Structure formats: C-alpha cells, structure tokens
Amino acid sequence: MRYVIVPAVFVLCAMQALAQYGSVRGRITDGETGEPLIGANVIFVDLNKGAATNVDGRYEVVKIPPGIYEIVVSYIGYKKWNSGKIEIHADSVITMNVQLASESYSTSEVLIVAHSVAANQNRTGSGSTAGGASAFGTDEEYASFVENDFRNALLSPRSTFGIDVDVASYTNVRRVLNSGGMPPASAVRTEEMLNYFRYDYPKPAGEHPYTLTAELGRCPWQPSHRLLHIGLQGKELDMSALPPQNLVFLLDVSGSMSPDNKLPLLREAFLVFLRQLRPQDRVAIVTYAGEAQVLLPSTSCDSMHLIRDVISGLTAGGSTAGGAGILLAYATAKENFIEKGNNRIILATDGDFNVGVSGTDDLVALIEKQREGGVYLSILGFGYGNLKDEKLEKLADKGNGMYGYIDTFQEALRMFGSQLTGTLITIAKDVKIRVEFNPSLVREYRLIGYENRLLADADFRDDTKDAGEMGAGHSVTALYEIVPLDAPLDLRSTDPYKYTENRVRPEAMESGEMLTISTRYKHPESGVVREIECVISDEADRPPTPNFLHASAVAEFAMLLRNSPYKANASFDQVIDRASRAKGVDADGARAEFLRLVEMAKALHSAARP
C-alpha cells in the first residue's frame, strides 16, 4: 500500500459549532479496473458513523469528533481494507480514495490527502452520500406493530397467514447500518429479512407452481423450544419464455426525488431494466410531480432508443400528485391491455404524495378498485430522509405486487437482473399458509413475523380473501417458535377455564404428528384453486440444514435489531456462528454481506452501551 499525506493548513472558522468536527470523503474503486464500487461500506470502527458509496463510488462521513480512528472499507467479493490509525482534527477534511482488491487480486493501493477547510464550506458536494444519522431522517414513516405472541395450541390449534414476497425491509435496514446507524424497530420486518435470501429448496417439477418443504429443529435462542422452518419455492421462468409484456413505468419526478440516491439512481436502475426487455414487450412512461402526464405512450421495445431517451432525460421538480399518477397509470395499462400477457405498473418513488388523493387509506381504496382488471402493481422505493415505507408496503400489498427498496446500483442490478422474472411474473395468486398444531405434543407456538399478513382460520378456504402473490423464482420462508408439551412451564401458560374444557382426540395423541402444514393458491389466469399439504413429526435431534441455520440466524438478527421481548438468549455471536456455517457457495455474495451487516450491528450496539 502507498500513502501520500499532505499536511493540514488551518484557516479561520466562520461557524464555531462545525469547527469542532472533521470529515472524511473520497471514492472507492476496483483496484484492477478503476471502476467505481457502488454501495461499498465505509465504517469507522468503535464510532457510530459510516457511509455507503453512491453511483459514482463516492462517499462522505461528516461531523467526526477529533480523535484517532480505524476505518474499514468492505464490498461483496473484495478484500476488506483497514486504514490503520488515522488522526482526525477539528475543522479538517480528509480525502481518502481506496482501491479495493478483489478476492482473486493480490494488491491494493490507497491515496490519502488530508487538508483543512473553513467550517462553513460546502461539505457534501454533488456526488456524496449522507453519513451517520443523516441517512435516516425524522420524516421517514414506518408502521409500528406488535410482534406475534405465543398462542395456546389447545385453545387455538390453527395459525393462518398470507405469504409475503416483499424484501424492502432488508435493503432498508442494510442502508441504515451501512450509514453507521441502527434502524428503528418498526423498520425491521422479519419476513422481509428472511425472504431477501435464496435458499436451497427443491424446485417444482409437478403440477403445482411451487414446492412446500419444512424442517423442525431446536430453537437456537431458546433450546427447550423447537423451531419450525417452512419453505416455498416457485418455479423459475426464462425471460424468453415469458408472455408479451405491457409495462407502465410510473415515475415520481417531484422535487423530493432530486437527491443522488433518488431520481439519478432511478434513471440508472430503469436503464438496466430496459436491457432485459424484448421487441415484443411494450413500455409506457407516466410521470407525476405537480400533475400527472403520459411522458411516453405505450411503445414497442423494438424502438428502445426512444424509451431510453425519455428515461435519461428525467428531471425532478414540483409537488407530488401521486394519486393522479396512479389513476393515469392504470388507465394507460388498460388502454394497452394484452390478453394472456403480463400487464403491470411499476411505481418508483420515495412515497411522498402530497397533492390530491394522498392518504394511505384513500390510496389503498383506489388500488383495490383497480386490481380486479388484471393489472398488477409493483413498487420500488428510493432514497432516504423522507421515505414513506408504511404507505408503499400497503399499496404494493393491495396491488397484488411486490415491494422492494433500491438503496444502491448493486441492488438495482439484482432486482432487474437475477430477480427480474419474480418482479414481473405472477405464478400463484392469493397464496395462504395454515399450520395446525397437535396439542398432545405442542403447548404453545408463535409465528415469527408476518404480523400484517395474519388471517382468520375461516379465511383459509374463503377464496374471496386477498392474500399474497408469488412471482416466478420467488421463495417464501416462514418460522414458528414452538413450545413442546414437555418444555419447562413459564408465566405465559394459560390458566384453565372455569366452565369449559378442551380435550385432545385420542388418535391425535397416538399419531406422533406434531403439526400439519397446508397451503392454498389460485392459478393466476384460470382462478382454479389448489392445495398442498405436509405432515411433520418432531425431528429436533436431526442435524440442521444450511437453510435452517441461515433462516434462524436472520430471524435472530431481526429480534436483536428490534430488541424483541422474545429474543431470550439471542446474541450477535450466535447469529455470526450459524450464518458462517450456512454461507456455502454464496454465488451472489448476499450471505457474506449479511455477515458483515451483523458485525457492523454488533459494533454499533457495543458502542451505544454505557
């Protein structure tokens, strides 16, 4: 490594408060090609600060108290880089450009240039990303929820919920951790953390569009309990086999979308998306700011240059008439509807609607009226500072689509590359899962996550009830914590009723079955309803599979981030141990990245303790 340090030159500070701090900025690139690394993590060890690089590979961490620090730079597929001891002075700006070495590349080079500037000088620059707490703004909105409690298996033997294939919570949590902060508890939705990852579930080969598998093992954070791991795996489709597509890009170009992590990133993401489309596909572009307009009528993708030019020319400004944009997008999609094709609106926004129909309940009602026409709505969230996560998650749910959050260009490549068919094509509608527990073996159980997808027992066979949609290649993972009948008693156990008594059937006591899992779904075109069933016995002594190890690690991590009342003996070290053992081949690097996030959260948690 080579260091070049230019001594600091001090000038008079105009703003005394800012003069108490220093800052670090720079660019992270590939050590071999010089290409920018987007979404690289720049973390100050033992300090609650850090940043992630933007689309140009640039970052900035501001308001650093004077002191001596170590800085770690990491990126999927590259060797970590450690700065060693670097001294930060008040009112100084250090430029630190790092060239990372890939796992197969043996050298790296760093150039550090330190100099001071007046404290009132612009410290962000056009290419920076926010560091520290600035990556999470007070205007961000998340729906608070109470985690599922344990239920008595004798009194309530069945648990029913609709699936969820959203993944936005994981990428949003990643964004906050990469920026050196801990996410708010309400931003951590366990099911979306679980469903971000690929699992080695069996692929469907028969009549059903997905497989159902399950595994039972010891609960890592409460060894006297069991943990049930349920996995659904949807069939994969090649882009060449997809039906013609009628796509409407509904793009927020209001003033709130102007930062680099919003509209500029949106443009880059959709230009990647366009590369995947075929001549038989069609794209219309609807934008909204102070008003909604059709910026590009439905256009065949054999005129791709026209579509690219419109995307490349997008600029931000004005207020946010999101409701009008949604109505115009549905009208555009219906006008160009393709029978037996894929008709879908893809809304990209930070969710800040403030003109016309803008309340969450009103927007949900609007979408519920529109969804029966065969047009699905998927939503991509961008940016931070005023992200309306609660609104976007509900709208995607009611629009029969998925909700994703794009925090980096790397995530855009994932969403519009390996995950594209899952984003576009629905293979099963209104997918529900029901688990019935045998009270002769199970005292209590708790569904981990899916709080906003719970259904009544009667809803399982009520095919008018809306539930989750599964996309091509999607997997769905769910976990139940189970209290066996022979587990030690605790204060949660329900007192016996005075006037009634529930009894277990004799055949249930003799069956050896611990539970039965049933799933129910509709064919997306014919509407034919089918079911899949699986019976599970107690297998607590069977060695856990990598799927079980990883899913349990993710769930335990989510409980730690939420400071869950059910975390029992959970710890970051346990999460790291199981996730390390479950890493495997890790072709997309997601599991290695997860380990780094856990390590960052552990360091931040330790630094926050008195």
PDB file of all heavy atoms in Angstrom, residues 290-312:
ATOM      1  N   GLY A 290     -46.288  18.026  -9.873  1.00  0.00           N
ATOM      2  CA  GLY A 290     -47.481  18.801  -9.549  1.00  0.00           C
ATOM      3  C   GLY A 290     -48.718  18.247 -10.222  1.00  0.00           C
ATOM      4  O   GLY A 290     -49.841  18.434  -9.747  1.00  0.00           O
ATOM      5  N   GLU A 291     -48.532  17.564 -11.351  1.00  0.00           N
ATOM      6  CA  GLU A 291     -49.622  16.899 -12.060  1.00  0.00           C
ATOM      7  C   GLU A 291     -49.063  15.650 -12.730  1.00  0.00           C
ATOM      8  O   GLU A 291     -47.848  15.468 -12.835  1.00  0.00           O
ATOM      9  CB  GLU A 291     -50.227  17.837 -13.104  1.00  0.00           C
ATOM     10  CG  GLU A 291     -49.234  18.293 -14.168  1.00  0.00           C
ATOM     11  CD  GLU A 291     -49.867  19.258 -15.167  1.00  0.00           C
ATOM     12  OE1 GLU A 291     -51.000  19.691 -14.930  1.00  0.00           O
ATOM     13  OE2 GLU A 291     -49.214  19.542 -16.180  1.00  0.00           O
ATOM     14  N   ALA A 292     -49.974  14.789 -13.160  1.00  0.00           N
ATOM     15  CA  ALA A 292     -49.563  13.548 -13.817  1.00  0.00           C
ATOM     16  C   ALA A 292     -49.645  13.717 -15.321  1.00  0.00           C
ATOM     17  O   ALA A 292     -50.530  14.417 -15.837  1.00  0.00           O
ATOM     18  CB  ALA A 292     -50.451  12.398 -13.366  1.00  0.00           C
ATOM     19  N   GLN A 293     -48.735  13.073 -16.049  1.00  0.00           N
ATOM     20  CA  GLN A 293     -48.777  13.128 -17.505  1.00  0.00           C
ATOM     21  C   GLN A 293     -48.176  11.872 -18.113  1.00  0.00           C
ATOM     22  O   GLN A 293     -47.332  11.205 -17.494  1.00  0.00           O
ATOM     23  CB  GLN A 293     -48.011  14.351 -18.022  1.00  0.00           C
ATOM     24  CG  GLN A 293     -46.535  14.356 -17.686  1.00  0.00           C
ATOM     25  CD  GLN A 293     -45.793  15.517 -18.319  1.00  0.00           C
ATOM     26  OE1 GLN A 293     -46.074  15.923 -19.446  1.00  0.00           O
ATOM     27  NE2 GLN A 293     -44.843  16.082 -17.588  1.00  0.00           N
ATOM     28  N   VAL A 294     -48.654  11.525 -19.306  1.00  0.00           N
ATOM     29  CA  VAL A 294     -48.061  10.424 -20.056  1.00  0.00           C
ATOM     30  C   VAL A 294     -46.874  10.995 -20.812  1.00  0.00           C
ATOM     31  O   VAL A 294     -47.038  11.696 -21.803  1.00  0.00           O
ATOM     32  CB  VAL A 294     -49.079   9.785 -21.022  1.00  0.00           C
ATOM     33  CG1 VAL A 294     -48.400   8.687 -21.836  1.00  0.00           C
ATOM     34  CG2 VAL A 294     -50.267   9.231 -20.255  1.00  0.00           C
ATOM     35  N   LEU A 295     -45.682  10.680 -20.339  1.00  0.00           N
ATOM     36  CA  LEU A 295     -44.479  11.222 -20.968  1.00  0.00           C
ATOM     37  C   LEU A 295     -44.119  10.438 -22.234  1.00  0.00           C
ATOM     38  O   LEU A 295     -43.548  10.983 -23.171  1.00  0.00           O
ATOM     39  CB  LEU A 295     -43.319  11.180 -19.967  1.00  0.00           C
ATOM     40  CG  LEU A 295     -42.190  12.196 -20.180  1.00  0.00           C
ATOM     41  CD1 LEU A 295     -42.728  13.618 -20.090  1.00  0.00           C
ATOM     42  CD2 LEU A 295     -41.104  11.989 -19.132  1.00  0.00           C
ATOM     43  N   LEU A 296     -44.497   9.155 -22.232  1.00  0.00           N
ATOM     44  CA  LEU A 296     -44.260   8.309 -23.410  1.00  0.00           C
ATOM     45  C   LEU A 296     -45.433   7.346 -23.549  1.00  0.00           C
ATOM     46  O   LEU A 296     -45.677   6.541 -22.662  1.00  0.00           O
ATOM     47  CB  LEU A 296     -42.957   7.517 -23.258  1.00  0.00           C
ATOM     48  CG  LEU A 296     -42.610   6.584 -24.431  1.00  0.00           C
ATOM     49  CD1 LEU A 296     -42.141   7.399 -25.638  1.00  0.00           C
ATOM     50  CD2 LEU A 296     -41.538   5.577 -24.022  1.00  0.00           C
ATOM     51  N   PRO A 297     -46.185   7.421 -24.670  1.00  0.00           N
ATOM     52  CA  PRO A 297     -47.257   6.450 -24.886  1.00  0.00           C
ATOM     53  C   PRO A 297     -46.670   5.049 -24.986  1.00  0.00           C
ATOM     54  O   PRO A 297     -45.466   4.867 -25.167  1.00  0.00           O
ATOM     55  CB  PRO A 297     -47.875   6.891 -26.225  1.00  0.00           C
ATOM     56  CG  PRO A 297     -47.350   8.259 -26.479  1.00  0.00           C
ATOM     57  CD  PRO A 297     -46.042   8.366 -25.783  1.00  0.00           C
ATOM     58  N   SER A 298     -47.529   4.048 -24.867  1.00  0.00           N
ATOM     59  CA  SER A 298     -47.062   2.671 -24.945  1.00  0.00           C
ATOM     60  C   SER A 298     -46.274   2.461 -26.239  1.00  0.00           C
ATOM     61  O   SER A 298     -46.775   2.678 -27.340  1.00  0.00           O
ATOM     62  CB  SER A 298     -48.251   1.707 -24.899  1.00  0.00           C
ATOM     63  OG  SER A 298     -47.797   0.376 -24.857  1.00  0.00           O
ATOM     64  N   THR A 299     -45.012   2.046 -26.088  1.00  0.00           N
ATOM     65  CA  THR A 299     -44.061   1.984 -27.203  1.00  0.00           C
ATOM     66  C   THR A 299     -43.426   0.602 -27.263  1.00  0.00           C
ATOM     67  O   THR A 299     -42.996   0.062 -26.243  1.00  0.00           O
ATOM     68  CB  THR A 299     -42.957   3.043 -27.027  1.00  0.00           C
ATOM     69  OG1 THR A 299     -43.569   4.341 -26.986  1.00  0.00           O
ATOM     70  CG2 THR A 299     -41.955   3.002 -28.163  1.00  0.00           C
ATOM     71  N   SER A 300     -43.360   0.037 -28.449  1.00  0.00           N
ATOM     72  CA  SER A 300     -42.722  -1.261 -28.623  1.00  0.00           C
ATOM     73  C   SER A 300     -41.242  -1.163 -28.294  1.00  0.00           C
ATOM     74  O   SER A 300     -40.579  -0.167 -28.622  1.00  0.00           O
ATOM     75  CB  SER A 300     -42.908  -1.757 -30.056  1.00  0.00           C
ATOM     76  OG  SER A 300     -42.102  -2.889 -30.292  1.00  0.00           O
ATOM     77  N   CYS A 301     -40.711  -2.210 -27.666  1.00  0.00           N
ATOM     78  CA  CYS A 301     -39.296  -2.210 -27.293  1.00  0.00           C
ATOM     79  C   CYS A 301     -38.366  -2.422 -28.481  1.00  0.00           C
ATOM     80  O   CYS A 301     -37.142  -2.441 -28.298  1.00  0.00           O
ATOM     81  CB  CYS A 301     -39.038  -3.261 -26.215  1.00  0.00           C
ATOM     82  SG  CYS A 301     -39.712  -2.789 -24.601  1.00  0.00           S
ATOM     83  N   ASP A 302     -38.905  -2.572 -29.681  1.00  0.00           N
ATOM     84  CA  ASP A 302     -38.013  -2.541 -30.841  1.00  0.00           C
ATOM     85  C   ASP A 302     -37.643  -1.103 -31.192  1.00  0.00           C
ATOM     86  O   ASP A 302     -36.818  -0.857 -32.068  1.00  0.00           O
ATOM     87  CB  ASP A 302     -38.590  -3.296 -32.043  1.00  0.00           C
ATOM     88  CG  ASP A 302     -39.912  -2.714 -32.520  1.00  0.00           C
ATOM     89  OD1 ASP A 302     -40.326  -1.648 -32.008  1.00  0.00           O
ATOM     90  OD2 ASP A 302     -40.538  -3.336 -33.389  1.00  0.00           O
ATOM     91  N   SER A 303     -38.266  -0.138 -30.490  1.00  0.00           N
ATOM     92  CA  SER A 303     -37.854   1.282 -30.572  1.00  0.00           C
ATOM     93  C   SER A 303     -37.229   1.687 -29.242  1.00  0.00           C
ATOM     94  O   SER A 303     -37.581   2.707 -28.640  1.00  0.00           O
ATOM     95  CB  SER A 303     -39.063   2.172 -30.893  1.00  0.00           C
ATOM     96  OG  SER A 303     -39.627   1.841 -32.137  1.00  0.00           O
ATOM     97  N   MET A 304     -36.297   0.886 -28.793  1.00  0.00           N
ATOM     98  CA  MET A 304     -35.724   1.055 -27.460  1.00  0.00           C
ATOM     99  C   MET A 304     -35.047   2.413 -27.286  1.00  0.00           C
ATOM    100  O   MET A 304     -35.040   2.979 -26.177  1.00  0.00           O
ATOM    101  CB  MET A 304     -34.727  -0.070 -27.188  1.00  0.00           C
ATOM    102  CG  MET A 304     -34.153  -0.065 -25.772  1.00  0.00           C
ATOM    103  SD  MET A 304     -35.427  -0.289 -24.500  1.00  0.00           S
ATOM    104  CE  MET A 304     -35.782  -2.038 -24.711  1.00  0.00           C
ATOM    105  N   HIS A 305     -34.490   2.955 -28.336  1.00  0.00           N
ATOM    106  CA  HIS A 305     -33.794   4.240 -28.209  1.00  0.00           C
ATOM    107  C   HIS A 305     -34.736   5.336 -27.741  1.00  0.00           C
ATOM    108  O   HIS A 305     -34.331   6.238 -27.000  1.00  0.00           O
ATOM    109  CB  HIS A 305     -33.143   4.623 -29.541  1.00  0.00           C
ATOM    110  CG  HIS A 305     -34.111   4.849 -30.659  1.00  0.00           C
ATOM    111  ND1 HIS A 305     -34.772   3.807 -31.291  1.00  0.00           N
ATOM    112  CD2 HIS A 305     -34.561   5.992 -31.247  1.00  0.00           C
ATOM    113  CE1 HIS A 305     -35.572   4.313 -32.229  1.00  0.00           C
ATOM    114  NE2 HIS A 305     -35.456   5.625 -32.223  1.00  0.00           N
ATOM    115  N   LEU A 306     -36.010   5.275 -28.158  1.00  0.00           N
ATOM    116  CA  LEU A 306     -36.991   6.280 -27.725  1.00  0.00           C
ATOM    117  C   LEU A 306     -37.251   6.175 -26.224  1.00  0.00           C
ATOM    118  O   LEU A 306     -37.342   7.188 -25.518  1.00  0.00           O
ATOM    119  CB  LEU A 306     -38.298   6.098 -28.487  1.00  0.00           C
ATOM    120  CG  LEU A 306     -38.249   6.287 -30.005  1.00  0.00           C
ATOM    121  CD1 LEU A 306     -39.617   5.987 -30.614  1.00  0.00           C
ATOM    122  CD2 LEU A 306     -37.811   7.709 -30.343  1.00  0.00           C
ATOM    123  N   ILE A 307     -37.361   4.947 -25.734  1.00  0.00           N
ATOM    124  CA  ILE A 307     -37.635   4.730 -24.312  1.00  0.00           C
ATOM    125  C   ILE A 307     -36.431   5.176 -23.482  1.00  0.00           C
ATOM    126  O   ILE A 307     -36.579   5.859 -22.456  1.00  0.00           O
ATOM    127  CB  ILE A 307     -37.971   3.251 -24.052  1.00  0.00           C
ATOM    128  CG1 ILE A 307     -39.104   2.792 -24.969  1.00  0.00           C
ATOM    129  CG2 ILE A 307     -38.359   3.032 -22.591  1.00  0.00           C
ATOM    130  CD1 ILE A 307     -39.381   1.302 -24.933  1.00  0.00           C
ATOM    131  N   ARG A 308     -35.232   4.816 -23.940  1.00  0.00           N
ATOM    132  CA  ARG A 308     -34.020   5.207 -23.208  1.00  0.00           C
ATOM    133  C   ARG A 308     -33.883   6.725 -23.130  1.00  0.00           C
ATOM    134  O   ARG A 308     -33.479   7.273 -22.098  1.00  0.00           O
ATOM    135  CB  ARG A 308     -32.782   4.625 -23.894  1.00  0.00           C
ATOM    136  CG  ARG A 308     -32.589   3.136 -23.708  1.00  0.00           C
ATOM    137  CD  ARG A 308     -31.140   2.748 -24.018  1.00  0.00           C
ATOM    138  NE  ARG A 308     -30.981   1.307 -24.112  1.00  0.00           N
ATOM    139  CZ  ARG A 308     -30.958   0.620 -25.233  1.00  0.00           C
ATOM    140  NH1 ARG A 308     -31.082   1.259 -26.412  1.00  0.00           N
ATOM    141  NH2 ARG A 308     -30.812  -0.689 -25.234  1.00  0.00           N
ATOM    142  N   ASP A 309     -34.182   7.403 -24.222  1.00  0.00           N
ATOM    143  CA  ASP A 309     -34.038   8.860 -24.240  1.00  0.00           C
ATOM    144  C   ASP A 309     -34.957   9.518 -23.208  1.00  0.00           C
ATOM    145  O   ASP A 309     -34.569  10.485 -22.544  1.00  0.00           O
ATOM    146  CB  ASP A 309     -34.343   9.407 -25.637  1.00  0.00           C
ATOM    147  CG  ASP A 309     -33.241   9.099 -26.637  1.00  0.00           C
ATOM    148  OD1 ASP A 309     -32.141   8.688 -26.204  1.00  0.00           O
ATOM    149  OD2 ASP A 309     -33.492   9.256 -27.855  1.00  0.00           O
ATOM    150  N   VAL A 310     -36.175   8.995 -23.076  1.00  0.00           N
ATOM    151  CA  VAL A 310     -37.114   9.566 -22.098  1.00  0.00           C
ATOM    152  C   VAL A 310     -36.605   9.331 -20.683  1.00  0.00           C
ATOM    153  O   VAL A 310     -36.616  10.244 -19.845  1.00  0.00           O
ATOM    154  CB  VAL A 310     -38.521   8.971 -22.289  1.00  0.00           C
ATOM    155  CG1 VAL A 310     -39.452   9.436 -21.160  1.00  0.00           C
ATOM    156  CG2 VAL A 310     -39.089   9.379 -23.635  1.00  0.00           C
ATOM    157  N   ILE A 311     -36.158   8.109 -20.389  1.00  0.00           N
ATOM    158  CA  ILE A 311     -35.628   7.803 -19.054  1.00  0.00           C
ATOM    159  C   ILE A 311     -34.416   8.679 -18.741  1.00  0.00           C
ATOM    160  O   ILE A 311     -34.312   9.273 -17.667  1.00  0.00           O
ATOM    161  CB  ILE A 311     -35.242   6.316 -18.946  1.00  0.00           C
ATOM    162  CG1 ILE A 311     -36.479   5.417 -19.086  1.00  0.00           C
ATOM    163  CG2 ILE A 311     -34.514   6.035 -17.637  1.00  0.00           C
ATOM    164  CD1 ILE A 311     -37.431   5.466 -17.943  1.00  0.00           C
ATOM    165  N   SER A 312     -33.509   8.795 -19.691  1.00  0.00           N
ATOM    166  CA  SER A 312     -32.278   9.566 -19.474  1.00  0.00           C
ATOM    167  C   SER A 312     -32.557  11.043 -19.259  1.00  0.00           C
ATOM    168  O   SER A 312     -31.780  11.742 -18.590  1.00  0.00           O
ATOM    169  CB  SER A 312     -31.334   9.390 -20.666  1.00  0.00           C
ATOM    170  OG  SER A 312     -30.968   8.039 -20.831  1.00  0.00           O
TER     171      SER A 312
END
